[in-house]
Amino acid sequence: MTAMRERTKVFLVDDHGLFRAGIRSELASRVAIVGEASDVESAIAGIRATVPAVVLLDVHLPGGGGKAVVEAIAPELPDVRFLALSASDAADDVIGAIRAGARGYLTKTVSSDDLVGAITRVADGDAVFSPRLAGFVLDAFAAIPVGALDSELAQLTPREREVLQHVARGYTYREIAAALFISIKTVETHVSAVLRKLQLDNRHQLSRWAAERNIS
Amino acid sequence: MTVNESINVSPWPRDVGAHVALRRVVVGYRLVSAAWLAFLGAAVLWSGAAGRRGVVVATIAVVAAWTAVTVAVAVRRPSAFSSPLWIAADVAVAVWTVLAPEVATSAGPFAGGYPFSAVALAAVNRGFGGGLAAALVLAGFATRRLLLTDSTLVAAINNAALLYLLGAGVIAWGVQVLRDGERQRLAVEAELSREREERRRAAERAETAAHLHDSVLQTLALLQRRSADPVEVVTLARRQERELREWLGGSPRSAGPATALREALEGAAAEVERDHRLTVEVVVVGDAPLDDALSALAAAAKEALVNAGKHAGVDKVSLYAEVDASGARVFVRDRGDGFDPANAVVDRRGLRESIVARLDRHGGTATIRSAPGAGTEVALALPLAGSGRDLRP
């Protein structure tokens, strides 16, 4: 990250005008907000027209939910990254957004600084794990019994688990790196690997865990 | 309504209860009248009154087969009864039963009540138009014999023709009356259930309004009055958010004491948030029913939160807990002032007394990691029963 880098192009998708206005005024000086939309259809059209680096995406959206936007855009514009935002703390919403392809998840009470940090991180291709998301993911993988078929692919490695536990404990990536004597880049690699397992694993117990909670 | 117009009337409502019941009655009458015809035909054969016995036998067979078809249609696809094609075929069979005695050179008719069953079926399924069309055709064929046979049959034939016409009219009228009555009743019921639904919605709205008034509006009023104090504003908003979530989730925290670790930790966090103007981010992975040891763990965690609230000088604390087969672990972390654990002053004795000692009694451990300026993390660990230690008294 250089000081001279261009401001990140951000597209806002939320059905609450008041919330969009709030985010816009908080972020206007720090990122470039290139457009906003209030439903799935206009979001897809707007993202195609503006091709932002990051889409701040509300999980609950008229016309199919945030998931529908990710599924429509991801195949044609793979470089557009999604950061899910929601007022909900429900595991279904959190894991559902990630499984659809979002690179991270934040609740709407997040501070401006944390939000800008998360946008930058997602724009750089990294994953953003809030403590809550880390907790849900640990819960999800804990549901998989050790020794299940293909467990190497389905399970978290001990190191990945350790990193997630530190995220859940409120550690930043920098603090995790210091605590585990690894580089920040390695922490990011572990977190991205977890994200990939979560998104790609459509087999076994994780999908059953998801199905039981109506996440597809 | 004329016969021609009746072909184009809109489809008869078939989902109406009275209509279904009437159709069953008419199909039942068809069965009875077919048996009646078979009985009369057998009598004709027995008495040797027919010249061509084969025609009588064939007529009985045709009526029996067509009656079976009628029952099958009634069971499988009753809507076919109102098609003009069905009525034409049905009336054709009935016409044959009227003409058969003549062809068979029988001394008297043996159709019995069968032709009328065709009139009734058409009247029930197509109303006045269908009934009258069937009645006119059958009456025409019946009276046609007036020109050919002797006068002793005239009265009987006239009676039959009159019966067809009047019967069709009466049945169609009866169907109309029943159908109208049923429609009215359904309309009244729909209106009643709509009113009930509206009352229920109104009650729900009133309840929601009352709740929002008692909670959200009060908080908003408080927020306006305390707007100069940002910490207070955050605390109020946070408390309201928590409460509203519980209400929306439909599962307000039970009034009694907590029964599981997650509930106990969330309750402790809410209490500390309220008393110490602090935001506690709670993440719990796994859960276990609360016993003495886990209660002690929750109490120790609360003590750690209170400590952070009092001494760390921050407005946000993380609480992470995980429970698995081997035990329970809780981490309370702040990014506040920190301190040197080796030099804990009297004021920090809460840590030693209520956290370390409390866990020690249940075989657990407490580790405090802190340094001045680097924040504090209290790590609590408790082995669970089943891993070699019985934690119950």
Side-chain angles (χ1 to χ4, degrees):
Chain A
M1 278 184 276
T2 64
M4 293 301 290
R5 75 181 268 163
E6 262 182 60
R7 289 194 299 169
T8 312
K9 281 166 76 179
V10 174
F11 193 95
L12 281 179
V13 184
D14 196 298
D15 58 330
H16 292 103
L18 203 60
F19 184 78
R20 289 200 308 273
I23 291 280
R24 197 179 255 283
S25 73
E26 276 180 43
L27 299 189
S29 61
R30 306 167 71 178
V31 300
I33 296 179
V34 294
E36 51 183 75
S38 61
D39 57 45
V40 170
E41 210 178 312
S42 61
I44 292 170
I47 294 166
R48 278 189 186 133
T50 56
V51 193
V54 176
V55 178
L56 279 185
L57 185 65
D58 189 6
V59 174
H60 296 282
L61 211 56
K67 219 171 96 173
V69 180
V70 183
E71 281 162 359
I73 294 296
E76 54 179 289
L77 296 170
D79 289 340
V80 174
R81 306 257 157 67
F82 292 89
L83 177 55
L85 273 181
S86 169
S88 159
D89 283 346
D92 325 15
D93 295 331
V94 182
I95 303 290
I98 295 298
R99 282 176 72 82
R103 301 287 300 170
Y105 180 98
L106 297 169
T107 52
K108 284 185 175 176
T109 49
V110 66
S111 72
S112 305
D113 288 344
D114 288 349
L115 183 54
V116 171
I119 288 171
T120 311
R121 204 174 280 283
V122 167
D124 287 343
D126 293 320
V128 172
F129 269 47
S130 61
R132 192 169 292 280
L133 174 55
F136 286 140
V137 173
L138 284 168
D139 235 354
F141 280 99
I144 304 171
V146 181
L149 282 174
D150 270 9
S151 62
E152 268 176 45
L153 288 168
Q155 286 281 5
L156 299 177
T157 65
R159 200 51 149 177
E160 285 162 0
R161 186 178 300 278
E162 211 170 0
V163 168
L164 279 191
Q165 280 163 339
H166 277 82
V167 173
R169 280 155 69 174
Y171 282 61
T172 63
Y173 288 4
R174 183 180 300 279
E175 289 164 342
I176 296 171
L180 300 181
F181 305 106
I182 53 180
S183 70
I184 296 180
K185 200 66 223 163
T186 308
V187 174
E188 284 167 350
T189 307
H190 284 308
V191 168
S192 292
V194 172
L195 195 73
R196 216 167 28 247
K197 284 182 182 179
L198 203 61
Q199 286 169 349
L200 292 185
D201 189 286
N202 255 321
R203 308 145 297 182
H204 313 315
Q205 283 78 8
L206 185 59
S207 20
R208 205 181 64 201
W209 180 90
E212 277 166 8
R213 289 162 177 76
N214 292 322
I215 311 161
S216 54
Chain B
M1 187 190 286
T2 71
V3 177
N4 286 336
E5 276 175 325
S6 75
I7 305 303
N8 298 323
V9 292
S10 58
W12 204 251
R14 267 168 289 280
D15 50 344
V16 179
H19 181 251
V20 172
L22 272 172
R23 195 166 53 215
R24 284 190 189 143
V25 168
V26 170
V27 171
Y29 174 70
R30 158 73 43 99
L31 281 167
V32 171
S33 64
W36 182 359
L37 180 142
F39 176 75
L40 291 177
V44 166
L45 290 173
W46 183 259
S47 63
R52 298 163 75 182
R53 301 163 64 90
V55 174
V56 179
V57 172
T59 303
I60 294 172
V62 165
V63 164
W66 187 250
T67 300
V69 170
T70 309
V71 172
V73 169
V75 172
R76 297 277 169 93
R77 231 166 63 101
S79 61
F81 281 148
S82 52
S83 84
L85 201 65
W86 167 272
I87 291 173
D90 200 47
V91 169
V93 172
V95 164
W96 171 252
T97 65
V98 171
L99 296 181
E102 204 181 323
V103 178
T105 62
S106 163
F110 55 85
Y114 185 85
F116 186 70
S117 75
V119 173
L121 201 59
V124 162
N125 288 295
R126 290 296 300 215
F128 280 108
L132 283 178
L136 279 173
V137 170
L138 280 163
F141 276 97
T143 51
R144 189 188 132 275
R145 295 185 68 207
L146 276 177
L147 308 172
L148 305 171
T149 53
D150 62 278
S151 59
T152 53
L153 287 174
V154 169
I157 288 165
N158 270 340
N159 283 350
L162 209 60
L163 174 71
Y164 297 156
L165 290 167
L166 285 179
V170 167
I171 289 174
W173 174 73
V175 169
Q176 189 80 40
V177 167
L178 279 172
R179 203 193 57 181
D180 288 350
E182 182 136 339
R183 272 200 184 138
Q184 265 172 22
R185 189 173 59 76
L186 287 177
V188 168
E189 273 174 11
E191 174 71 11
L192 270 178
S193 82
R194 200 178 55 77
E195 271 174 19
R196 257 199 306 275
E197 178 66 10
E198 256 172 23
R199 269 202 302 279
R200 197 184 58 76
R201 283 220 193 100
E204 235 168 48
R205 253 199 310 275
E207 197 188 312
T208 307
H211 178 89
L212 291 180
H213 182 266
D214 290 348
S215 58
V216 178
L217 284 182
Q218 300 292 341
T219 302
L220 287 175
L222 268 176
L223 287 177
Q224 288 168 45
R225 294 179 51 178
R226 308 274 171 82
S227 56
D229 182 349
V231 178
E232 177 80 14
V233 166
V234 170
T235 310
L236 281 169
R238 176 92 175 157
R239 192 179 68 201
Q240 185 57 65
E241 182 195 340
R242 188 187 292 274
E243 197 192 301
L244 199 56
R245 265 185 208 293
E246 273 173 22
W247 188 71
L248 288 174
S251 58
R253 189 168 287 133
S254 49
T259 54
L261 182 64
R262 181 190 295 262
E263 199 184 345
L265 289 173
E266 279 171 357
E271 224 172 290
V272 175
E273 278 191 352
R274 196 168 53 237
D275 298 344
H276 295 273
R277 297 177 146 211
L278 197 64
T279 300
V280 183
E281 179 146 31
V282 184
V283 176
V284 183
V285 173
D287 204 356
L290 217 51
D291 55 14
D292 282 356
L294 286 177
S295 294
L297 181 69
K302 185 181 174 190
E303 214 41 61
L305 288 173
V306 169
N307 247 294
K310 274 186 189 163
H311 306 294
V314 290
D315 54 12
K316 195 177 154 201
V317 178
S318 301
L319 187 157
Y320 170 67
E322 56 182 17
V323 187
D324 57 28
S326 67
R329 290 163 293 281
V330 177
F331 301 86
V332 176
R333 180 167 197 275
D334 67 68
R335 287 211 179 76
D337 298 338
F339 64 99
D340 182 356
N343 267 338
V345 285
V346 183
D347 196 30
R348 294 286 174 97
R349 252 163 90 184
L351 280 178
R352 300 249 169 274
E353 298 300 319
S354 55
I355 297 180
V356 180
R358 202 189 287 253
L359 277 172
D360 200 39
R361 279 196 288 279
H362 293 279
T365 56
T367 317
I368 294 146
R369 263 171 249 133
S370 186
T376 304
E377 184 173 57
V378 179
L380 313 169
L382 189 72
L384 278 186
S387 60
R389 273 188 70 109
D390 186 6
L391 298 168
R392 280 153 231 278

